[in-house]
Amino acid sequence: MLSDDAFKKIDREIAKYPADQKQSAVMAALAIAQDENGYLAQETIAAVADYLGMAPMAAFEVASFYNMYDLAPLGRYKLTVCTNLPCALSGGVDAAEYLKQKLGIAFNETTPDGLFTLKQGECLGACGDAPVLLMNNKRMCSFMTTEAIDQLLTELRADLRGQAT
Amino acid sequence: MSFQPILTAGLDPATGDATWHLDDYVKRGGYAALKKIFAENITPEAVIAEVKKSSLRGRGGAGFPSGLKWSFMPKAYAGAKYLCCNSDEGEPGTFKDRDLLRYNPHQVIEGMAIAAYAMGTERGYNYIHGEVWELYDRFEQALAEARAAGYIGQNILGSNFSFELFAHHGYGAYICGEETALLDSIEGKKGQPRYKPPFPASFGLYGKPTTINNTETFAAVPWIINNGGDKYLELGKPNNGGSKLFSVSGHVVRPGNYEVPMGLPFAELLKMAGGIRGGRRLKACIPGGSSAPVLPAEIVMECTMDYDSIAKAGSMLGSGAVIVMDESTCMVRALERLSYFYFEESCGQCTPCREGTGWLYRVVHRIEHGQGRPDDLDLLNSVTDNIMGRTICALGDAASLPVRSFIKHFAAEFEYHIEHKKCLVPPEVQKEGSKIYVRPSC
């Protein structure tokens, strides 16, 4: 379910907290698990809970509360576009519309090839760089003009071809 | 005397991603304050006294005097005490802590180490907004550098003071910027605010005495110790000490962070950001992050950027997030987006906020979409009356204040929507104003 490498990473997180507070590592552990599996299945959440000595329900509460955890499979690349007011004033909504049109999907949909999932995001904390989007939770893409969006999509598709060969 | 930045001194965004390391920070004079404390045997009480003198106020939004907050921590407490840094920066419009962590993470580490010394705290966490993951990684690397150099860890700089510091990441919940929600989140729970009292200084992380400060607050501490609280106070205005990073977003030519002395006229800040785009005119400004009441152009242009002036004008300096809107903005649409945000981010714990934020969003939405009813503005105000002051944390108020202030200052625009089923600002003007912004190359 989770690799030894993932558990090693989780161990490093556990070490940050007092010995009797392993549960504090649950957010990091769930993020590690999601990175490995692409999303958090019920069994994965239960495995994390078990490892940290907490009730599965308590781990599920965390997984369902924080919106960067994905509880269902999604595209290989999750693109979260901020459309909140400061971004919207600089084209956040237009950037999202452009992506919808390029990918042929609406928010919360995945392209038929399983490559891209589009999400509407709340404030990413980078309003000065608007329009901004977050790729797979980890990479902040700033100043997303239509050219920058085209470039990103090309890059991600090329990455994938590189991995396939 | 011209103002010299202190938080961003020597930092250049063009090269900043390469000069955040320990060596660079030390070259800029970093860790001198921590060394000074041990070299000159400055007592914890003297550190707190200096911070009190500086009139440094919490930079996260509430503006609470930092020295006073530190003095609330019990001195003779037998068990563990904790120190937390709130880098869960998710208030729409705010992106200052991102730059501090990006270009100068060691300044935050040094500030936290000094604060920990002042309060006798041996363990701390920096809670970093999950969306800025690259900076969480960077902070972990900076911690490793600081640990290896003896600035954090056991017996710091050969003293008998020890302080362990770790990074903890969020994962997408605005509410965790509320300090007690942040504590629950570190404990591995849903981030839901706690009742206060008890305050964190008596019952905080894991039930132990805890102090939480904002990133920018900690970042200011080394300068205060190096140069003295009086000097820091002199930079700003009485009761509004020091400098402040303002995040300017929206319809300006150069959105970005600007470090200025407290008390700078708003008009000057607007000029620094290049003024309004495309020769259009300023319509309104939210001066302190999305939760702060909006101010129309004629009022905000008379303000100076400090806690007291902005409060007098009827808003809040908050986190220093200045959201600038020009005449192409439909105020109903702007409010609709903000109301959606609070609806989405309410943690659901208190009924007035959980249900009320949904009502606010749905009613503003229907006004914007030509389905407003004549009594909708009264209804909105009544919903805010029933949220404000009736919730555990300030998110309910934060959702209500924009609604009340937008209606108060731009009533005619709301009424026009309701009566004519369309925007007062023509759609093509709005479209032009909200198109993808390509910044000038220099």
Side-chain angles (χ1 to χ4, degrees):
Chain A
M1 184 155 318
L2 280 178
S3 68
D4 289 347
D5 186 45
F7 283 116
K8 255 185 231 153
K9 283 185 189 159
I10 293 172
D11 286 341
R12 277 205 294 273
E13 295 298 327
I14 293 172
K16 292 178 180 177
Y17 307 96
D20 57 347
Q21 301 291 348
K22 274 166 91 171
Q23 180 171 339
S24 283
V26 70
M27 290 183 68
L30 290 171
I32 291 164
Q34 178 163 302
D35 281 350
E36 185 159 292
N37 293 346
Y39 78 105
L40 294 172
Q42 293 286 348
E43 309 83 75
T44 315
I45 296 170
V48 166
D50 185 50
Y51 195 68
L52 297 176
M54 59 196 284
M57 190 57 207
F60 180 76
E61 276 190 353
V62 170
S64 57
F65 184 83
Y66 298 90
N67 67 28
M68 288 163 71
Y69 297 114
D70 296 304
L71 303 182
L74 69 176
R76 189 176 181 102
Y77 300 114
K78 176 172 75 166
L79 305 179
T80 309
V81 191
C82 178
T83 59
N84 207 311
L85 180 61
C87 271
L89 296 172
S90 286
V93 175
D94 281 8
E97 287 304 317
Y98 184 72
L99 267 164
K100 285 179 191 169
Q101 178 212 323
K102 281 285 278 196
L103 299 173
I105 52 174
F107 281 136
N108 300 315
E109 289 181 358
T110 299
T111 50
D113 58 6
L115 268 189
F116 296 102
T117 299
L118 197 57
K119 294 259 179 189
Q120 169 166 256
E122 289 306 335
C123 188
L124 304 174
C127 327
D129 296 359
V132 289
L133 68 83
L134 194 62
M135 201 276 283
N136 282 355
N137 290 345
K138 300 284 173 77
R139 178 174 152 198
M140 182 80 74
C141 303
S142 296
F143 310 115
M144 297 312 281
T145 57
T146 49
E147 294 77 18
I149 290 171
D150 288 345
Q151 218 172 352
L152 177 71
L153 296 181
T154 308
E155 179 207 323
L156 295 178
R157 289 195 168 108
D159 268 8
L160 199 69
R161 275 197 296 276
Q163 283 165 22
T165 51
Chain B
M1 195 186 74
S2 76
F3 169 75
Q4 297 295 322
I6 60 175
L7 293 169
T8 54
L11 301 180
D12 177 3
T15 54
D17 279 321
T19 57
W20 60 267
H21 290 282
L22 178 68
D23 294 351
D24 306 299
Y25 181 59
V26 170
K27 259 184 245 160
R28 292 191 292 265
Y31 288 110
L34 192 60
K35 285 180 190 153
K36 180 181 171 182
I37 285 172
F38 295 115
E40 298 178 11
N41 283 318
I42 301 174
T43 62
E45 292 75 19
V47 172
I48 294 181
E50 211 56 44
V51 174
K52 278 188 177 168
K53 227 194 287 179
S54 76
S55 189
L56 172 66
R57 290 168 64 170
R59 299 298 195 230
F64 193 81
S66 306
L68 187 61
K69 194 183 221 182
W70 292 10
S71 68
F72 292 155
M73 284 286 269
K75 282 197 193 75
Y77 184 83
K81 291 188 274 189
Y82 293 97
L83 182 68
C84 293
C85 177
N86 186 345
S87 301
D88 192 33
E89 186 177 51
E91 169 87 1
T94 318
F95 48 92
K96 63 191 178 63
D97 299 337
R98 173 177 183 240
D99 273 8
L100 292 172
L101 293 174
R102 181 173 179 182
Y103 302 131
N104 221 10
H106 283 284
Q107 191 178 34
V108 178
I109 296 173
E110 186 181 8
M112 288 192 76
I114 294 167
Y117 170 77
M119 290 177 270
T121 312
E122 297 208 336
R123 190 181 270 261
Y125 294 95
N126 185 8
Y127 189 105
I128 300 175
H129 197 220
E131 287 85 341
V132 290
W133 189 269
E134 286 125 325
L135 304 186
Y136 169 75
D137 276 345
R138 179 170 293 182
F139 198 78
E140 293 256 41
Q141 292 175 50
L143 285 174
E145 292 177 346
R147 210 169 277 134
Y151 294 120
I152 53 171
Q154 291 295 308
N155 302 102
I156 292 175
L157 298 172
S159 71
N160 57 11
F161 169 64
S162 299
F163 175 59
E164 287 292 352
L165 178 58
F166 304 94
H168 182 105
H169 67 76
Y171 226 54
Y174 167 67
I175 191 61
C176 291
E178 197 282 340
E179 61 179 11
T180 59
L182 181 147
L183 296 177
D184 266 30
S185 185
I186 297 181
E187 290 179 3
K189 303 170 188 162
K190 291 192 282 189
Q192 292 189 318
R194 305 173 181 174
Y195 279 105
K196 291 192 272 193
F199 288 94
S202 49
F203 191 94
L205 184 61
Y206 309 127
K208 306 293 183 189
T210 302
T211 293
I212 305 115
N213 283 125
N214 172 254
T215 319
E216 188 186 352
T217 311
F218 284 124
V221 169
W223 197 94
I224 292 169
I225 299 304
N226 282 325
N227 299 277
D230 289 331
K231 277 241 170 68
Y232 187 81
L233 178 56
E234 281 167 24
L235 291 174
K237 281 170 68 170
N239 197 34
N240 295 268
S243 69
K244 170 96 190 76
L245 264 181
F246 287 100
S247 305
V248 185
S249 66
H251 289 142
V252 292
V253 174
R254 287 188 299 275
N257 285 310
Y258 296 89
E259 184 182 352
V260 300
M262 287 287 240
L264 186 84
F266 169 78
E268 291 288 313
L269 182 65
L270 187 60
K271 209 186 286 173
M272 287 172 83
I276 303 288
R277 288 176 200 160
R280 290 190 297 266
R281 280 179 309 175
L282 177 70
K283 180 172 188 175
C285 174
I286 303 176
S290 62
S291 309
V294 68
L295 295 174
E298 60 275 16
I299 294 182
V300 73
M301 285 302 275
E302 298 300 315
C303 289
T304 59
M305 298 307 286
D306 55 86
Y307 297 103
D308 296 342
S309 168
I310 298 288
K312 212 173 140 204
S315 187
M316 308 186 302
L317 191 68
S319 55
V322 179
I323 306 171
V324 176
M325 290 171 273
D326 71 22
E327 55 192 332
S328 71
T329 313
C330 167
M331 299 311 279
V332 181
R333 191 170 176 202
L335 179 63
E336 182 199 13
R337 187 59 186 87
L338 289 181
S339 293
Y340 178 78
F341 169 72
Y342 292 103
F343 169 49
E344 171 74 24
E345 297 294 340
S346 172
C347 81
Q349 191 175 209
C350 310
T351 309
C353 174
R354 182 186 64 238
E355 303 302 323
T357 52
W359 272 92
L360 293 177
Y361 168 64
R362 287 188 297 270
V363 174
V364 178
H365 178 84
R366 79 180 177 212
I367 297 174
E368 168 63 13
H369 290 83
Q371 291 159 332
R373 301 168 196 174
D375 56 356
D376 270 355
L377 300 185
D378 290 339
L379 174 62
L380 284 170
N381 280 324
S382 143
V383 173
T384 62
D385 283 342
N386 284 298
I387 298 175
M388 291 180 74
R390 294 166 203 265
T391 55
I392 291 174
C393 84
L395 192 141
D397 286 19
S400 302
L401 289 170
V403 173
R404 293 169 83 105
S405 61
F406 272 70
I407 293 176
K408 178 179 164 199
H409 293 298
F410 299 95
E413 214 171 318
F414 282 81
E415 284 157 4
Y416 185 94
H417 267 83
I418 293 170
E419 196 180 331
H420 299 276
K421 316 285 180 205
K422 62 176 186 179
C423 290
L424 186 59
V425 181
E428 63 278 9
V429 174
Q430 287 187 50
K431 200 166 169 46
E432 175 63 22
S434 63
K435 68 181 184 192
I436 295 178
Y437 183 57
V438 183
R439 33 177 70 210
S441 54
C442 128

